[in-house]
Amino acid sequence: MLKKVFIFLFLILITAYLMIAVTVLNAKPQEQTCAGMELIINDSIDYGFISKKEVLRLLNNKKFSPIGKKMEEINTRLLEDELRQHPLIGNAECYRTSSNRIGIEITQRLPILRVMAANGENYYIDDKAHRMPIPNSAANVAIVTGHVDKAFAANELYEFGMFLQKNPFWKAQIQQINVTPAKELELVPQVGAHIIFLGKPGNYENKFERLKTFYQKGLNEIGWNKYSRISLEFDNQIICTKKEK
């Protein structure tokens, strides 16, 4: 008799446990609260424009932090829109995780040139041809000086900046781009005490292929400090100006 009672109580306990387990497992995520955020900032090694701490501060200040809120009340689209308004954020993706957290993946804006114009304007051009404010940390890109207006920066300079972005060798070699009053381009290289004159913007593939050949077959033989100016302005030729002794 006592054995039957123990078996009966054991079955009751097992049944109660199974009912509680099923209830917990089947609880709708919307009824649960957000336990935290999983924040990822892409390109943070190359471009430390925005930190996780700054993102958290931004969300807290605008009362957009999802922590402690019911999952059903969290609007991930609204979170994305708010984060994308930050001047240094290119894109933001927000999503719910299986552990009752909100995942946030941020992509920083990618600068390709820094403009320090004669009119006093100072900003970056990003890979979408948009102006970008100067962050606390500098980006390793060529500096543009001289007679630069907004339209020239968003078109001709953007095209040249994207050419450099796609060609790592020239991106590393060109440290300064000066725009003359006639809207022609003069380049200051990292290696060699000469000015590279491109003339009017455009035809970059052809001009830099000629320059690369001249570097390899010319300057490597006669020395990198022989000329003060190398002009690529005209097709199928390179005009060099010797340094004055």
Side-chain angles (χ1 to χ4, degrees):
M1 182 66 180
L2 187 60
K3 184 178 180 180
K4 291 183 178 180
V5 171
F6 281 130
I7 293 174
F8 179 72
L9 291 174
F10 178 75
L11 291 175
I12 291 177
L13 290 174
I14 290 295
T15 303
Y17 171 79
L18 291 175
M19 291 179 63
I20 293 172
V22 170
T23 301
V24 170
L25 291 175
N26 290 337
K28 295 181 179 180
Q30 290 83 355
E31 296 175 354
Q32 299 174 357
T33 58
C34 176
M37 289 183 287
E38 297 177 4
L39 183 56
I40 299 173
I41 299 180
N42 294 322
D43 303 320
S44 58
I45 296 178
D46 297 323
Y47 303 102
F49 298 151
I50 187 167
S51 65
K52 292 183 178 181
K53 184 178 180 180
E54 185 175 351
V55 173
L56 295 176
R57 183 169 60 247
L58 171 67
L59 294 177
N60 286 326
N61 289 344
K62 297 198 173 184
K63 301 188 185 305
F64 273 96
S65 176
I67 299 176
K69 294 180 179 179
K70 290 184 178 180
M71 295 297 285
E72 65 178 352
E73 296 176 352
I74 299 172
N75 188 330
T76 54
R77 180 68 61 84
L78 196 61
L79 271 176
E80 291 173 348
D81 292 342
E82 184 62 32
L83 289 169
R84 288 169 183 166
Q85 291 181 31
H86 193 284
L88 300 176
I89 292 177
N91 192 34
E93 299 290 339
C94 302
Y95 49 89
R96 294 175 173 83
T97 72
S98 58
S99 57
N100 295 323
R101 294 174 178 267
I102 294 296
I104 300 177
E105 185 171 350
I106 288 175
T107 302
Q108 301 176 93
R109 292 175 68 180
L110 176 65
I112 59 173
L113 293 172
R114 179 171 181 173
V115 174
M116 300 177 70
N119 61 11
E121 291 185 328
N122 187 6
Y123 56 89
Y124 283 113
I125 303 171
D126 72 7
D127 61 339
K128 300 295 187 298
H130 298 147
R131 290 195 301 163
M132 175 180 166
I134 303 298
N136 292 328
S137 58
N140 185 23
V141 296
I143 296 174
V144 183
T145 57
H147 300 265
V148 185
D149 55 47
K150 295 175 183 176
F152 191 79
N155 292 283
E156 286 84 355
L157 284 178
Y158 166 72
E159 182 184 350
F160 184 40
M162 290 305 293
F163 169 82
L164 295 177
Q165 195 69 23
K166 295 174 183 177
N167 292 271
F169 174 80
W170 294 118
K171 180 182 178 183
Q173 171 68 344
I174 305 304
Q175 65 175 345
Q176 183 179 344
I177 304 161
N178 186 59
V179 182
T180 70
K183 292 294 189 285
E184 296 173 324
L185 303 182
E186 298 174 329
L187 312 180
V188 179
Q190 292 276 8
V191 179
H194 55 264
I195 297 297
I196 303 167
F197 182 67
L198 292 186
K200 294 296 183 181
N203 197 22
Y204 300 119
E205 293 286 349
N206 178 274
K207 290 178 180 179
F208 279 91
E209 187 61 35
R210 280 186 281 140
L211 181 60
K212 186 175 183 179
T213 300
F214 181 67
Y215 274 4
Q216 293 172 340
K217 298 183 179 180
L219 297 189
N220 280 343
E221 297 293 332
I222 62 177
W224 285 74
N225 297 317
K226 185 177 182 65
Y227 300 111
S228 61
R229 180 181 173 93
I230 299 173
S231 175
L232 306 171
E233 180 181 12
F234 303 109
D235 291 340
N236 302 319
Q237 60 179 308
I238 295 176
I239 302 174
C240 300
T241 303
K242 287 186 178 181
K243 283 187 176 180
E244 295 182 1
K245 295 183 178 180

